[in-house]
Amino acid sequence: MYLLDFDRTCFDTDNCFYPYLRERFADEETSNLSNYELAQSLCSKINAGMFSFSPGELSSFLYEDAARFLRDKENGVMLITYGLPALQKAKVESALYGIPRISTIYTGDVRKGDYLAPHIGMYGSAPVFVDDSVEELEIFSAKCPGAVVYEMRRDGEAGDGRWPVTRSLSELI
C-alpha cells in the first residue's frame, strides 16, 4: 500500500495552484496575502457555500507521473493530506476527477503519523509513505516504524539525508 501526501507530492501547489488562485481572484486584493492566508480565505468561502472548483478544473495541476501512478495503482494508493479540510477536499476532488478508486484521508490539523499510527497495520506489513515535508517524515517515521519512508524532492534539491529521496512517483514502481 502506498500512502501519498497530496500537496507537493502529487499536486503542484506552489508553481501552479497558488498562482492560479492569485490570477483567478486578482480583483479581490490577494496580492498582499501569504499563501496560507489565501488558503484560509478560500476555505472560508468554500465553507460558506460561496465557492467551489468544478470537476477536473485542477486536474492539470497533478504532476504527470502522479496522475499515471494513481491510475496504475488505484486501490493500492491512499492519499493522506494535512491542512484545512474543506479546501483540501475541494482540491483533491477536482484534481482527481476521472481517476477512479483513490481514497483520501483528511487529517485536518493532526499530523499524518499521529493520525495513522493507531491504524498503520491496516495498510500491510510495510506500507510505503511518501511526503515532501521533513516534519511529516520525522513524525511518521517515529510513530509508524514498520513503514518504508521516502522523501519527495520535486525541486531537485538534496534531501534531508535520513530517508531515501524520490523525485518522481514513477521511481517507486
Side-chain angles (χ1 to χ4, degrees):
M1 173 63 73
Y2 293 92
L3 304 168
L4 305 178
D5 168 51
F6 183 67
D7 288 307
R8 295 169 205 84
T9 297
C10 294
F11 186 77
D12 194 344
T13 309
D14 298 325
N15 298 314
C16 293
F17 180 66
Y18 282 119
Y20 174 75
L21 288 182
R22 290 188 188 289
E23 183 178 310
R24 186 166 175 184
F25 296 108
D27 60 325
E28 297 184 25
E29 298 183 26
T30 59
S31 61
N32 293 329
L33 297 179
S34 69
N35 285 348
Y36 184 72
E37 291 168 330
L38 181 59
Q40 285 181 310
S41 173
L42 186 58
C43 191
S44 295
K45 291 177 184 184
I46 291 168
N47 283 331
M50 298 168 44
F51 181 82
S52 65
F53 295 111
S54 62
E57 180 178 350
L58 305 179
S59 295
S60 65
F61 302 160
L62 283 176
Y63 292 105
E64 186 177 324
D65 65 289
R68 188 172 41 255
F69 189 87
L70 294 171
R71 283 186 180 94
D72 289 348
K73 298 298 181 189
E74 293 182 338
N75 290 332
V77 173
M78 174 84 60
L79 291 177
I80 181 162
T81 186
Y82 171 89
L84 303 164
L87 177 57
Q88 292 304 96
K89 185 173 184 180
K91 287 179 356 190
V92 168
E93 289 179 356
S94 177
L96 296 187
Y97 182 77
I99 300 177
R101 295 183 285 280
I102 302 298
S103 298
T104 305
I105 297 170
Y106 303 96
T107 69
D109 61 358
V110 177
R111 294 296 176 179
K112 296 167 192 169
D114 292 331
Y115 191 94
L116 286 176
H119 316 289
I120 196 66
M122 294 174 33
Y123 302 105
S125 60
V128 176
F129 178 69
V130 183
D131 204 306
D132 66 300
S133 166
V134 169
E135 181 178 6
E136 293 291 351
L137 294 167
E138 286 174 335
I139 296 168
F140 194 89
S141 294
K143 300 284 182 153
C144 306
V148 177
V149 177
Y150 286 91
E151 180 179 358
M152 176 57 79
R153 292 306 306 233
R154 296 269 185 198
D155 59 8
E157 297 293 324
D160 177 87
R162 291 179 278 175
W163 307 279
V165 170
T166 187
R167 300 186 191 297
S168 168
L169 294 175
S170 62
E171 295 173 2
L172 302 177
I173 296 175

